[in-house]
Amino acid sequence: MTTPGETLATESERFASFGWMRGTSGNLSAVVSRDPLRLAVTASGLDKGSLTGSDVVVVNEDGAAVDDSGRRPSAEAALHARIARLTGAGAVVHVHTVEAVVAGRRWPTGIKLEGLEMLKGIGVAAEGEQVTLPVIANSQDMGVLGDRLEAARDPQVPAVVVAGHGLYAWGADPMRARHHTEVVQWLLEFSVRLG
């Protein structure tokens, strides 16, 4: 059986191969228990293209480490925990893509999406329905960032763009979080190219 750490290492390698987690940027998490809430989160300061199954930290609902790995969790672990609590997600992906940053600058009040077949990948009809991918201002304070995400979140869209920073997407499990990330990234690429 695959451990949460092994799953996150595999997913990190995949996203890094796309250039979405350059250097040590980005982070991923997977819920390991709900009561109490515990998440395995990729450790801080490591190259996301070469993680191993042990390169994770288990954190609590506040994003604080609760294991004795000696590793430091991502500074954004508290936001991962907040997203898991708020949405019921089982996994969260945070990538730093150029398109997310460009789109956040171009459409600071949100990115309107409609009439695209790829919308079905996030559960939105390809025709007759418009959704807005929220864009929120960045903050180094995860409490402030979490409040902004909660206020802007559209329950139909399992993602949010953080201006000047990147993309957060989530899903019921790591595979669904991966799919949502890839679909939203495609939608961002389309929107940026269309202008």
Side-chain angles (χ1 to χ4, degrees), residues 16-106:
S17 76
F18 299 154
W20 298 356
M21 300 178 92
R22 295 183 185 190
T24 64
S25 70
N27 38 70
L28 291 88
S29 67
V31 172
V32 294
S33 75
R34 287 273 173 205
D35 190 19
L37 182 63
R38 298 288 184 264
L39 291 85
V41 179
T42 51
S44 181
L46 301 177
D47 184 318
K48 301 308 185 296
S50 58
L51 296 180
T52 68
S54 62
D55 292 329
V56 296
V57 182
V58 177
V59 301
N60 64 16
E61 66 278 355
D62 297 319
V66 295
D67 66 18
D68 58 1
S69 68
R71 296 206 183 268
R72 199 168 33 108
S74 163
E76 294 156 353
L79 186 59
H80 283 249
R82 178 103 173 241
I83 292 169
R85 280 195 321 270
L86 179 65
T87 68
V92 179
V93 173
H94 172 47
V95 293
H96 291 234
T97 68
V98 172
E99 291 82 5
V101 175
V102 170
R105 285 224 174 146
R106 193 171 288 168

Side-chain angles (χ1 to χ4, degrees), residues 56-169:
V56 296
V57 182
V58 177
V59 301
N60 64 16
E61 66 278 355
D62 297 319
V66 295
D67 66 18
D68 58 1
S69 68
R71 296 206 183 268
R72 199 168 33 108
S74 163
E76 294 156 353
L79 186 59
H80 283 249
R82 178 103 173 241
I83 292 169
R85 280 195 321 270
L86 179 65
T87 68
V92 179
V93 173
H94 172 47
V95 293
H96 291 234
T97 68
V98 172
E99 291 82 5
V101 175
V102 170
R105 285 224 174 146
R106 193 171 288 168
W107 300 286
T109 60
I111 302 140
K112 295 193 182 323
L113 302 163
E114 67 178 322
L116 297 164
E117 192 72 17
M118 284 296 278
L119 284 166
K120 294 189 324 192
I122 59 170
V124 175
E127 293 180 349
E129 191 172 357
Q130 183 184 77
V131 294
T132 300
L133 174 59
V135 176
I136 60 173
N138 195 17
S139 175
Q140 298 307 299
D141 182 319
M142 292 304 108
V144 169
L145 198 55
D147 290 345
R148 290 174 181 165
L149 186 147
E150 187 167 350
R153 183 176 86 91
D154 179 343
Q156 284 188 279
V157 181
V160 66
V161 168
V162 180
H165 189 164
L167 170 67
Y168 279 87

